[in-house]
Amino acid sequence: MDAVACGKQKQPPWKHPSDYDLESYSSGDGVDGELGSTQVPAKAYFLLASAVVSLSSIAPLLDLQTGTSPTMKIVWRQAATAMLFFPFASWEIYQNGWPRLSIPQWMTFMVSTSSYAIFSVTFVIALGYTSVGNVVILSNTMSLILLIGKLFVGDPVSLLECMGAMVAFGGAYLCSRDSASHHGTSNALYGDVLAIASAIGGVGYLVFAKASRQHIPMMTFMFLTMAVGDVLLVGFQLWILNETVTFDRDKSHGLWGFLTMQPDRLPLEFTMAFVCNCLGTMGYIRSMQYFDNLVISSATLLEPVVAEFMACALGVGRLPGIP
């Protein structure tokens, strides 16, 4: 009786049935029940797999961009993504109105957005100091950080969770351990620290995005994350890094420089915006309703292997063990 009541409780008008929490899963025969691990739909695995492949291409594609600062690369990428999401977010807001969140919920969203900005900017800065392989492997230690966090707060952690995270991390490390041999030791160490900082930002994003996503439609959430994060990054450029930023299409320091018609600007930027952010980041967000944060963060450990092959194919990296 309680399960039926739970399944019939009113949902926000903007929620698609596929957005509902798995706890209110309906089997289709009128009987509601909880969705176990064996009942996760096939599309959930497809979403997670496509997100892994899509986000694996970020580092190689960012390495293809030259003639601008690392932070400007992220500003361009998020601006281009916000432009792609804008019409869809506008339609959602037109249909359902502006999201009505309490002050604590807006604060949660801001922490989520700030964490994503930290995750992105430290990732791209690290690429200037160490190899694609090292950056990707260390920025994807999120599962280990989540495990440590669970242990600290007293949450139960199964032996399989620990073994899975450690084996996945160890295997990916072995695949990319010699990829930074052409970098200086001090530079590589600094890049590794930045990559770990990126992982910490990623953990914050996973945790807080899952909480705030429940109150905001998908497209609106993605648009606000990219747009607000972009504003935060520009402020970071101006007031912390003292970088030159202009409100024009200058291909080096203009906020709209990615709109320049050259191979490593507009075509590359919208490839990253669509493939990496639309398919990748949104794929992870959609997967959050089906999987625990630890499962998602463990899946990201596949990214270093895919990224190594992509970097080699694009000529910005090399496979481990190959001179």
Side-chain angles (χ1 to χ4, degrees):
M1 187 68 181
D2 291 338
V4 173
C6 176
K8 291 183 178 179
Q9 65 181 169
K10 188 176 180 180
Q11 299 288 348
W14 46 262
K15 272 201 172 186
H16 187 274
S18 64
D19 288 337
Y20 297 159
D21 292 336
L22 295 184
E23 287 75 16
S24 57
Y25 165 80
S26 175
S27 62
D29 57 4
V31 180
D32 293 352
E34 290 196 358
L35 193 60
S37 59
T38 59
Q39 295 173 295
V40 175
K43 73 170 185 178
Y45 295 101
F46 175 78
L47 283 170
L48 193 57
S50 63
V52 169
V53 175
S54 299
L55 285 178
S56 297
S57 63
I58 289 179
L61 291 177
L62 285 172
D63 255 8
L64 288 176
Q65 275 190 328
T66 58
T68 189
S69 68
T71 47
M72 187 57 76
K73 292 180 182 181
I74 297 300
V75 169
W76 287 346
R77 188 182 125 209
Q78 294 200 189
T81 307
M83 291 172 66
L84 286 179
F85 280 121
F86 178 73
F88 303 104
S90 299
W91 178 251
E92 282 185 341
I93 293 172
Y94 173 76
Q95 290 285 328
N96 308 304
W98 186 257
R100 295 183 177 90
L101 276 66
S102 64
I103 293 178
Q105 289 170 341
W106 277 117
M107 291 177 64
T108 300
F109 170 77
M110 288 303 299
V111 173
S112 166
T113 301
S114 302
S115 297
Y116 184 79
I118 293 171
F119 167 71
S120 300
V121 76
T122 50
F123 181 91
V124 72
I125 293 175
L127 287 172
Y129 294 94
T130 187
S131 68
V132 169
N134 274 17
V135 173
V136 176
I137 185 64
L138 292 172
S139 67
N140 283 290
T141 55
M142 292 180 285
S143 56
L144 296 182
I145 296 173
L146 280 170
L147 275 177
I148 294 170
K150 277 191 168 186
L151 292 173
F152 269 108
V153 300
D155 284 352
V157 178
S158 69
L159 180 62
L160 285 178
E161 285 179 329
C162 292
M163 290 178 62
M166 294 299 293
V167 168
F169 177 76
Y173 174 75
L174 290 175
C175 289
S176 61
R177 62 189 179 127
D178 67 339
S179 59
S181 58
H182 58 287
H183 289 268
T185 304
S186 58
N187 282 348
L189 181 60
Y190 183 60
D192 291 347
V193 171
L194 287 172
I196 293 173
S198 175
I200 295 173
V203 168
Y205 176 67
L206 280 176
V207 172
F208 290 101
K210 186 169 185 177
S212 58
R213 166 67 184 92
Q214 299 173 9
H215 311 289
I216 307 176
M218 169 62 75
M219 296 299 177
T220 306
F221 175 82
M222 292 303 300
F223 169 74
L224 290 176
T225 296
M226 297 301 161
V228 175
D230 223 20
V231 173
L232 295 176
L233 286 171
V234 172
F236 178 71
Q237 284 182 293
L238 292 172
W239 296 310
I240 304 299
L241 300 180
N242 292 318
E243 289 186 6
T244 300
V245 178
T246 56
F247 293 85
D248 55 22
R249 293 174 58 208
D250 185 277
K251 63 181 182 180
S252 297
H253 48 72
L255 286 180
W256 309 108
F258 66 93
L259 296 176
T260 305
M261 285 303 300
Q262 62 184 67
D264 65 343
R265 290 297 186 266
L266 186 61
L268 183 63
E269 206 62 56
F270 274 94
T271 298
M272 286 193 288
F274 180 75
V275 175
C276 302
N277 285 1
C278 293
L279 299 182
T281 304
M282 194 166 69
Y284 278 132
I285 292 292
R286 297 283 293 182
S287 301
M288 287 178 181
Q289 61 186 310
Y290 301 109
F291 301 106
D292 183 74
N293 287 335
L294 186 59
V295 174
I296 295 174
S297 60
S298 296
T300 64
L301 292 173
L302 292 170
E303 291 179 19
V305 179
V306 181
E308 288 281 5
F309 282 101
M310 287 187 175
C312 182
L314 293 173
V316 294
R318 61 188 181 85
L319 292 177
I322 299 177

